[in-house]
Amino acid sequence: MSLLSAIRVALEALLVNKGRSTLTSLGIVIGISAVIAMVAAGSGARQKLDDRLETVGKNLILIRAGGRTQQGLVADFVPLTRDDAEAIRKEIGPLLVGATAVQTTQRLALTRTGKSATDVVGVTPDMQRIRNWQVTQGHYLTEDDVKKMAPVCLLGQTARRKLFPAHVNPIGEWVRVDRLRLRVIAVLGEKGRSPTGADQDNQIFVPLTTLQRRLVGEERIGLVLAAARSEEVIERAKAGIVRVMRQRHHLKAGAADDFDVSTVREMAQLAEILAATLTVLVGIIASISLVVGGIGIMNIMLVSVTERTREIGIRMAVGATSADVLSQFLIEAMVLSLVGGLLGISLGIGAATGLAYLAKWPIDISPFIVGLAFVVSAGVGVFFGYYPALKASRLDPIEALRYE
């Protein structure tokens, strides 16, 4: 019997009991679809995370006030100052793009045409280089603006849309925050959402001194931002910042830090570890499902051998060899498993597409994973179908013909 004839006979035998065959392959379908969907969704999620990290800055270093315990709680809170940022910029300058103190307050911003509850962020000119934030209209802050506590501001795209109509050029217009009137000198390019989901464009940037002395009346800060010149020097820059901060805070050897230095890359690695852990858990569940599906195939093939004992006897009586019977039942098991695999691949791609649509992230369906899923489903059929096929091939033709 040719291979095509064997496959045709196998399909005919399986279609005799459509419901039983469908239920038997269900475990294969669930296992394969789970792997395809989670790998595709996981790859898309990582790509989305990378895109968002690009908007934040992959080389970003955050220096926050207060040390952190092993549980992540704040301990020994000591506020940071502008001088800390200046010291970091001077001491670690060759490794950094820049360093800036950052102070943020939430306020209601008003114009003649709109209003917006937004973050008002006090920064220095280094912020543009650190965040690589493009200016679409106007010009960025200057050192002179910081020295003079100038009443000027820069608008993120979301803040600009809320405060001014689309046809109005906001440059030179005024924005009132509390009792302070700020003149718009720039509109920043769009950044989108951060990895935490916050809208980076719903912000108004002002000179740090303007915010500290003319708006909030507080010069203590909780955050300093810096950016390494490349990924290769991030760890060196981080170590240098820790050294400078310990010197400025007069910490003795062995004393715990009263500040925290972290990088965006570390946050990304944590997210990748969580994603990898989830993928492993799904893989384990899918493996169990495949094993259960394989056992189902073995069980149904054993039942099939019993039901078709007389048929096997007739085939052997007219010249079929044990190898012919073995291959026939092995192909039936493989076809059953492959059908389940193909349905699982289709269902997995559909589920991944649905997840991507709902979560608004891209999908990355790897041809390698699809091919591997196909091979695995065939392997399950061969592995679990071998024993029933072997049992069928070893039947005595005379005894098989007598079977009722």
Side-chain angles (χ1 to χ4, degrees), residues 143-171:
E143 290 290 351
D144 199 46
D145 291 329
V146 177
K147 289 178 182 177
K148 294 181 178 180
M149 298 179 289
V152 296
C153 69
L154 302 85
L155 303 180
Q157 287 290 333
T158 302
R160 183 252 182 275
R161 286 192 291 269
K162 290 181 177 180
L163 295 174
F164 296 99
H167 66 275
V168 173
N169 182 359
I171 303 301

Side-chain angles (χ1 to χ4, degrees), residues 20-21 24 295-305 336:
R20 188 171 72 179
S21 299
T24 301
I295 293 171
I297 289 174
M298 179 185 287
N299 180 56
I300 210 67
M301 292 307 297
L302 286 171
V303 171
S304 181
V305 168
L336 185 59

Side-chain angles (χ1 to χ4, degrees), residues 345-356:
I345 290 170
S346 302
L347 182 61
I349 292 174
T353 305
L355 285 172

Side-chain angles (χ1 to χ4, degrees), residues 30-100:
I30 293 172
I32 295 296
S33 62
V35 171
I36 296 289
M38 291 310 301
V39 170
S43 298
R46 281 192 288 272
Q47 184 179 335
K48 185 69 173 180
L49 178 61
D50 282 341
D51 292 342
R52 288 192 173 181
L53 287 176
E54 286 287 351
T55 67
V56 173
K58 288 187 175 182
N59 300 337
L60 199 66
I61 303 173
L62 298 86
I63 304 96
R64 293 175 292 180
R68 296 299 191 273
T69 65
Q70 291 183 345
Q71 291 75 30
L73 302 176
V74 177
D76 301 324
F77 185 85
V78 176
L80 304 177
T81 65
R82 287 175 55 201
D83 292 337
D84 289 330
E86 288 298 321
I88 289 170
R89 185 166 62 173
K90 290 178 181 178
E91 295 286 337
I92 319 297
L95 300 177
L96 300 177
V97 172
T100 179

Side-chain angles (χ1 to χ4, degrees), residues 304-316:
S304 181
V305 168
T306 302
E307 291 177 343
R308 296 161 61 190
T309 299
R310 190 173 180 81
E311 175 194 328
I312 295 168
I314 294 172
R315 286 180 181 274
M316 287 184 166

